[in-house]
Amino acid sequence: MPTEEDQGYHFGVIRRAIDRIDAAGGAALSLDDLAAEMHMSPAHFQRVFSRWVGVSPKRYQQYLTLGHARALMRERFTTLDAAGTLGLSGSGRLHDLFLRWEAMSPGDYARHGAGLTISHGYFAGPFGDTLAMATDRGLCGLAFTEETGRAAAFADLAARWPDATFVEAPDRVAPMVEAAFSRTGETRLHLIGAPFQIKVWEALLAVPSGHVTTYSEIARAIGNPKAVRAVGTAVGRNPISWLIPCHRALRKTGALGGYHWGLPVKRAMLAWEGARADAQAG
């Protein structure tokens, strides 16, 4: 298992590789050429990719193309259960991680976090520098700062709960982050949002790793099929990225749509999951 430092470094390489593959305009790049662009030896570049995702750089290129999302729509589209099967708290599996989640009550949400202490810290994760926040009930915020910067990411999450007390305490948050990124054990989530938002986020938890769904499918699943635009807004307001997999929500056309922490991060997440799913199936 790569260390946190390895994970952050690996994502930096992947982020540069995305730019280089895009610049190639669809032309396949050899291992030697791509490694040279990353200022790495072919052998080192191969090892980085293999440790990060489990497939070769040559094979991984197909998962970083803009057409990958459309392929997922054709091959791994997930329909969601009807609203009656979705509650406001529960548990479930996400890749190899066992999640338990608890939703804030509407009354607590209306108090804008008053009386709530939220610990936070920055960590190296599989998708770059990561801001994590937690209450005593579990992780309540997970943001990726590579595209936005740390200050903007912190301001964004903190504004969700303006009357909460924020304490820099990475040691308190670290065990939760370790469980989340190691994909083993149990991680608790504390969903802090309006009831409609929480319903949307819970629907996202039903989408398996390596699969995708659409904003309209989520709207149907929560019993409000005309609320596609509101669903899109709620998806974008998801404070616990990756674990609540808003990156798996696409437009009906197969277009990526937006991603709160930057489209390169979303593409890398979809590519990582797709490649691992195929490697495990093979």
Side-chain angles (χ1 to χ4, degrees):
M1 179 65 62
T3 65
E4 284 190 356
E5 289 76 14
D6 286 338
Q7 289 178 328
Y9 168 66
H10 291 181
F11 179 75
V13 174
I14 299 303
R15 179 65 184 85
R16 296 196 303 275
I18 290 174
D19 290 341
R20 182 62 188 93
I21 291 166
D22 285 352
L29 299 172
S30 70
L31 173 62
D32 288 350
D33 288 345
L34 198 51
E37 292 286 345
M38 300 300 106
H39 306 290
M40 300 166 68
S41 71
H44 186 200
F45 188 53
Q46 182 101 351
R47 285 196 299 272
V48 166
F49 265 78
S50 296
R51 291 190 72 191
W52 193 71
V53 75
V55 299
S56 70
K58 181 178 179 180
R59 184 177 176 192
Y60 191 69
Q61 285 189 59
Q62 66 184 303
Y63 298 100
L64 285 177
T65 63
L66 292 174
H68 177 56
R70 290 181 174 84
L72 286 173
M73 282 288 290
R74 292 192 304 270
E75 301 164 11
R76 292 180 179 168
F77 172 73
T78 295
T79 58
L80 302 174
D81 293 335
T85 66
L86 298 174
L88 288 181
S89 63
S91 61
R93 296 204 71 85
L94 180 65
H95 39 80
D96 300 323
L97 177 70
F98 190 75
L99 295 176
R100 292 191 183 276
W101 60 91
E102 177 183 349
M104 172 179 274
S105 71
D108 287 338
Y109 175 72
R111 287 191 283 275
H112 306 294
L116 196 65
T117 297
I118 298 178
S119 301
H120 64 88
Y122 293 93
F123 304 87
F127 302 102
D129 187 52
T130 304
L131 168 62
M133 294 185 173
T135 70
D136 58 359
R137 300 180 188 180
L139 282 171
C140 65
L142 205 61
F144 298 98
T145 73
E146 294 289 335
E147 301 295 315
T148 65
R150 285 187 171 187
F154 183 88
D156 187 305
L157 286 187
R160 320 289 182 96
W161 319 293
D163 294 331
T165 298
F166 292 89
V167 178
E168 185 173 4
D171 290 347
R172 296 182 197 170
V173 186
M176 303 181 204
V177 175
E178 171 63 25
F181 286 155
S182 67
R183 302 183 302 281
T184 57
E186 179 181 283
T187 293
R188 293 184 176 272
L189 307 182
H190 189 189
L191 308 189
I192 303 176
F196 179 85
Q197 292 174 324
I198 291 171
K199 204 73 171 175
V200 169
W201 303 338
E202 188 176 16
L204 286 168
L205 285 166
V207 184
S209 179
H211 291 67
V212 294
T213 194
T214 62
Y215 301 107
S216 56
E217 175 62 20
I218 294 170
R220 184 201 64 78
I222 65 172
N224 203 339
K226 294 183 179 181
V228 177
R229 186 180 296 273
V231 163
T233 299
V235 169
R237 294 290 291 172
N238 164 33
I240 312 177
S241 299
W242 178 240
L243 296 180
I244 298 178
C246 50
H247 60 281
R248 297 178 193 156
L250 306 178
R251 293 175 179 165
K252 290 176 69 174
T253 61
L256 285 173
Y259 188 64
H260 200 73
W261 307 114
L263 282 179
V265 179
K266 181 173 185 173
R267 287 177 63 193
M269 288 177 172
L270 290 172
W272 189 94
E273 291 184 332
R276 285 183 67 88
D278 284 352
Q280 291 167 0

